[in-house]
C-alpha cells in the first residue's frame, strides 16, 4: 500500500463522509472550540458530564478529512469513558501519530487506522485537534484551542 | 527582429533545484508565489561574494571593501533601472516587501496621521498590507478603510472612488493578488488617488517576477517588492520611494551607516537612501538580487509575461474541465495563479496527495484570510507559476488532482 493509501484508509474516509455524533449536543455541560487558522480546521466539541464520566459527546465544524474523521472517531470512543480513561487513550494515540515508541498496541483499538499520520508530520496537528479540544473541555478550559 | 521562441527547457537548466526528484518523482514546482527557485548565476554570485569578495561596505579603505561597495552600489543601479526609478537614491534595501510596507507605515504615514484620518486598502491584500496599517491606525487613532471586490475577485472601482476622500492619507494596494492572481489597474487607481492628492503605495511582491514594472509611468509614490520571489536570495527586498517623499521622512531605524555625524547631543542623519539603511545591510543579498535582475532582464520581462499568460490560459482550460473544481479568482486581468477548491476534498488533503505526486503547491489561506472569507472557503489550493514552468507541469498537476479523486472516490 502506498503512503497515501496508508493515510487515507477506508475507515477514515468513511468517518469523513459520514461523521458520527455530528451535531450540537442538547444539554451539553461544556463546549470548547478548536481552531487551526493556518488550515482553517474549526470544530466545537460538546460534552455532557456526569461526575467524572463523559455521558455524551458530539462535535460540529469543518476541516480536512484527517481532522474530521479523527473528531468523529473520537466521539465514538470516549462516550461512557471517564476523564482519566479518555486522557489515557489520547496519550497513547498521540504517541502513535507522532511516531514515538511505547505505544500500547492492545489499547489503540480502531484508532490504529491513523498510524499513517506519523509519516506526514504536518498532518499531526489535524489528527490531534479534536483530542486537544476535548482535553481542554474536560479540564474546564473555555478558550479556543489550537494545535498549530 | 530576432525570433522570440521561448525556450523554456533551456531556461530550466539554469535552475538546479528544478531537476531533482521528490518521493522518486520529478519535482513539479508550482509554489512560486511563495518563493521562486534560484538560477545558478545567483547561487554563483553568492558563492563568489562569500569566497572572494566578502567585506563591509562604505567604510573600508582596503581593496575588498571597495570591491564590495562597488558591487553593492551597482546592484542599486540595477534595481533602479529594472523598475525605471528616476534615480538610484530612490531605492532603499530592506528585508522584504513586508519590511518595506512597515517602513512606509512608520516613517511616512505615521507622522501624517491624526485621529479620524483614513488609510485605504483593498479586500484582496496580503496580511502584510493589512497589519502594518492596523498598527499605525491604532497608534494614531486613524481608520482603516477597505475597498470591496466582486465575485470574480476584481476591485470594485466605483466603491474605491466613494471611499477615497480628503480624509484619506494613503492608498495601499497590491499590484497582483497573491491569493487570486488578479492584476489591479494600479495606474488608474493612482490617477484617481492623485486627483485628490493622496499618495499611493503599490505592493509589487507578486508583480515584479511576472511583468515589466515602470514606477514613473505608474506614478507610484512607493513601490515595494521582495527579492526571493524574483529568483534572488531571501532576506532582501526593496522600497522605491519618490525622492521628494524620502527626503522628508524621518529614519526608520537608528544605527550605523544612516548617520553623517553623531554626538551625544545630536545626530545628523545621512542622505537618502542611506538614511533608511541602518546597520550592515544584507550585502550578499543585494548583490545576489542584482544578479537575479540581470538574469530575468536578459530573458526579457515582456517575453516572460507573454509566455506565462499563455501558460495561465492553458492551465485555466485544463482545470476548468475537472468536475467539481471551482476556481477562486476569475478576474479578466490575471497573472500566474490558479487558486481552487474541490467538492471532493479539503485543500489540505489535496495538498498532501499532490505533494506525494511530486507536485508542490500551497494549501491554506495564503496570508489573505479576508479573501478566503469573501469567497466562503476556509482555504484554497494554489498553483502559482514562474516562467520556467511548462505545459507538462500543468498536465502533471491535473494528473495529481485525478489521484485525489481516486483516494476520495
Amino acid at each position: 500500500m502506498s503512503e497515501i493509501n496508508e493515510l487515507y484508509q477506508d475507515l477514515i474516509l468513511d468517518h469523513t463522509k459520514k461523521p458520527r455524533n455530528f451535531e450540537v449536543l442538547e444539554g451539553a455541560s461544556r463546549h470548547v472550540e478548536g481552531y487551526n487558522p493556518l488550515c482553517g480546521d474549526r470544530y466545537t466539541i460538546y460534552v455532557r458530564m456526569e461526575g467524572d464520566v463523559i455521558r455524551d459527546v458530539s462535535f460540529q465544524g469543518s476541516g480536512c478529512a484527517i481532522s474530521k474523521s479523527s473528531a468523529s472517531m473520537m466521539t465514538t470512543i470516549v462516550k461512557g469513558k471517564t476523564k482519566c480513561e479518555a486522557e489515557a487513550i489520547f496519550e497513547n494515540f498521540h504517541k502513535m501519530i507522532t511516531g514515538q515508541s511505547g505505544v500500547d498496541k492492545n489499547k489503540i483499538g480502531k484508532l490504529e487506522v491513523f498510524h499513517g499520520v506519523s509519516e506526514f508530520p504536518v498532518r499531526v496537528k489535524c489528527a490531534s485537534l479534536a483530542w486537544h479540544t476535548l482535553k481542554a473541555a474536560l479540564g474546564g478550559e473555555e478558550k479556543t484551542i489550537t494545535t498549530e | 527582429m530576432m525570433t522570440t521562441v521561448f525556450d523554456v527547457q533551456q531556461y530550466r537548466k539554469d535552475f538546479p533545484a528544478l531537476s531533482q526528484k521528490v518521493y522518486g518523482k520529478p519535482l513539479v514546482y508550482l509554489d512560486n508565489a511563495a518563493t521562486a527557485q534560484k538560477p545558478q548565476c545567483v547561487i554563483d554570485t553568492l558563492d563568489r561574494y562569500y569566497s572572494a569578495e566578502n567585506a563591509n561596505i562604505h567604510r573600508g579603505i582596503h581593496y575588498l571593501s571597495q570591491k564590495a561597495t562597488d558591487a553593492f552600489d551597482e546592484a542599486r543601479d540595477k534595481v533602479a533601472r529594472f523598475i525605471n526609478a528616476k534615480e538610484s537614491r530612490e531605492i532603499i534595501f530592506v528585508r522584504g516587501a513586508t519590511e518595506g510596507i512597515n517602513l512606509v507605515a512608520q516613517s511616512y504615514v505615521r507622522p501624517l496621521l491624526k485621529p479620524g484620518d483614513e488609510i485605504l486598502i483593498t479586500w484582496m491584500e496580503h496580511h502584510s498590507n493589512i497589519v502594518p496599517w492596523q498598527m499605525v491606525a491604532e497608534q494614531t487613532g486613524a481608520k482603516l478603510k477597505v475597498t470591496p471586490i466582486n465575485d470574480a475577485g476584481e476591485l470594485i472601482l466605483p466603491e474605491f472612488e466613494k471611499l477615497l476622500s480628503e480624509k484619506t492619507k494613503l492608498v495601499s494596494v497590491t499590484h497582483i493578488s497573491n491569493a487570486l492572481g488578479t492584476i489591479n489597474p494600479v495606474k488608474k487607481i493612482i490617477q484617481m488617488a492623485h486627483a485628490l492628492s493622496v499618495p499611493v503605495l503599490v505592493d509589487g511582491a507578486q508583480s515584479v517576477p511576472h511583468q515589466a514594472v515602470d514606477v514613473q509611468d505608474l506614478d507610484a509614490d512607493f513601490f515595494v517588492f521582495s527579492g526571493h520571489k524574483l529568483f534572488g536570495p531571501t532576506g532582501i527586498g526593496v522600497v522605491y520611494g519618490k525622492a521628494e517623499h524620502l527626503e522628508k521622512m524621518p529614519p526608520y531605524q537608528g544605527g550605523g551607516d544612516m548617520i553623517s555625524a553623531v554626538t551625544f547631543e545630536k545626530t545628523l542623519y545621512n542622505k537618502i537612501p542611506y538614511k533608511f539603511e541602518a546597520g550592515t545591510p544584507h550585502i550578499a543579498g543585494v548583490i545576489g538580487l542584482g544578479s537575479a535582475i540581470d538574469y530575468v532582464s536578459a530573458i526579457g520581462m515582456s517575453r516572460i509575461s507573454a509566455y506565462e499568460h499563455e501558460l495561465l490560459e492553458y492551465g485555466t482550460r485544463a482545470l476548468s474541465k475537472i468536475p467539481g473544481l471551482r476556481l477562486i479568482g476569475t478576474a479578466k486581468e490575471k497573472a500566474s495563479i490558479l487558486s481552487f477548491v474541490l467538492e471532493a476534498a479539503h485543500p489540505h488533503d489535496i495538498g498532501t496527495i499532490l505533494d506525494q505526486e511530486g507536485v508542490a503547491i500551497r494549501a491554506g489561506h495564503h496570508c489573505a484570510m479576508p479573501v478566503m472569507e469573501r469567497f466562503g472557503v476556509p482555504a484554497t489550493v494554489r498553483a502559482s507559476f514562474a516562467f520556467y514552468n511548462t505545459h507538462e507541469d500543468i498536465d502533471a498537476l491535473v494528473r495529481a488532482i485525478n489521484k485525489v479523486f481516486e483516494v476520495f472516490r
Side-chain angles (χ1 to χ4, degrees), chain B residues 139-382:
Chain B
Q139 287 155 349
T140 60
K143 288 199 193 83
L144 189 62
K145 295 282 173 178
V146 185
T147 308
I149 56 177
N150 64 22
D151 290 342
E154 298 162 322
L155 271 188
I156 305 172
L157 279 181
E159 294 293 328
F160 173 76
E161 196 158 24
K162 270 190 236 164
L163 287 164
L164 198 58
S165 76
E166 69 284 354
K167 286 189 202 159
T168 315
K169 289 294 174 282
L170 183 91
V171 167
S172 193
V173 59
T174 190
H175 201 171
I176 295 181
S177 156
N178 77 308
L180 301 166
T182 310
I183 305 175
N184 280 319
V186 287
K187 190 171 177 178
K188 182 154 193 211
I189 287 168
I190 291 169
Q191 282 168 356
M192 290 162 80
H194 283 179
L196 291 178
S197 304
V198 177
V200 179
L201 181 153
V202 177
D203 173 359
Q206 298 294 342
S207 64
V208 288
H210 304 294
Q211 62 180 57
V213 168
D214 182 334
V215 289
Q216 290 188 76
D217 179 57
L218 292 176
D219 201 20
D221 296 276
F222 298 98
F223 186 97
V224 302
F225 66 92
S226 297
H228 70 98
K229 295 187 206 284
L230 185 62
F231 317 101
T234 54
I236 190 67
V238 168
V239 174
Y240 157 82
K242 285 182 180 171
E244 60 185 274
H245 297 316
L246 297 178
E247 298 276 15
K248 286 182 208 149
M249 288 158 58
Y252 178 50
Q253 293 177 332
D257 230 29
M258 54 75 71
I259 52 87
S260 57
V262 176
T263 65
F264 287 116
E265 287 69 41
K266 181 155 179 67
T267 290
L268 288 176
Y269 300 133
N270 207 336
K271 59 192 181 188
I272 65 168
Y274 312 111
K275 182 169 77 174
F276 297 101
E277 294 177 353
T280 296
H282 185 6
I283 304 168
V286 167
I287 298 172
L289 174 60
S291 168
I293 286 175
D294 285 343
Y295 179 80
V296 290
S297 300
I299 298 172
M301 289 314 298
S302 55
R303 291 180 69 226
I304 285 176
S305 195
Y307 172 77
E308 288 185 9
H309 186 71
E310 197 276 320
L311 198 62
L312 180 68
E313 287 192 334
Y314 179 78
T316 306
R317 279 197 303 275
L319 291 198
S320 301
K321 286 183 200 148
I322 296 174
L325 185 145
R326 174 185 169 208
L327 279 173
I328 305 290
T330 50
K332 276 188 220 76
E333 297 294 324
K334 232 188 116 167
S336 69
I337 282 168
L338 288 169
S339 207
F340 62 91
V341 291
L342 292 181
E343 272 168 27
H346 187 278
H348 262 213
D349 297 313
I350 300 168
T352 294
I353 295 169
L354 265 48
D355 176 51
Q356 291 288 305
E357 297 299 305
V359 180
I361 50 83
R362 178 149 170 208
H365 57 53
H366 319 300
C367 297
M369 290 172 89
V371 173
M372 300 297 112
E373 206 179 334
R374 170 66 180 73
F375 287 91
V377 293
T380 74
V381 180
R382 180 187 69 185

Side-chain angles (χ1 to χ4, degrees), chain B residues 57 71-80 88 90-96 99-100 103 225 235-240 273 276-278 281-282 285-287 289-290 293:
Chain B
I57 54 164
F72 187 87
D73 293 345
E74 194 190 337
R76 199 189 303 274
D77 297 339
K78 286 177 188 177
V79 173
S88 291
E90 295 178 312
I91 302 301
I92 300 162
F93 290 116
V94 289
R95 281 185 297 150
E99 188 175 46
L103 185 153
F225 66 92
I236 190 67
V238 168
V239 174
Y240 157 82
F276 297 101
E277 294 177 353
H282 185 6
V286 167
I287 298 172
L289 174 60
I293 286 175

Side-chain angles (χ1 to χ4, degrees), chain B residues 68-89:
Chain B
T69 303
D70 290 347
F72 187 87
D73 293 345
E74 194 190 337
R76 199 189 303 274
D77 297 339
K78 286 177 188 177
V79 173
R81 280 196 298 274
F82 183 62
I83 59 170
N84 196 31
K86 202 189 288 174
E87 304 173 72
S88 291
R89 67 192 184 109

Side-chain angles (χ1 to χ4, degrees), chain A residues 3-5 7-8 10 13 17 35 37-41 63-66 120 123, chain B residues 23 346 348-350 352-353 356-357 362-365 369 378-379 403 407-409:
Chain A
E3 282 183 351
I4 277 295
N5 294 327
L7 181 64
Y8 294 105
D10 288 347
L13 294 172
K17 286 171 190 159
Y35 177 42
L38 272 178
C39 326
D41 293 350
C64 66
I66 301 300
F120 298 85
R123 305 305 298 275
Chain B
Y23 312 113
H346 187 278
H348 262 213
D349 297 313
I350 300 168
T352 294
I353 295 169
Q356 291 288 305
E357 297 299 305
R362 178 149 170 208
H365 57 53
M369 290 172 89
K403 183 85 186 173
V407 173
F408 284 81
R409 66 197 178 277

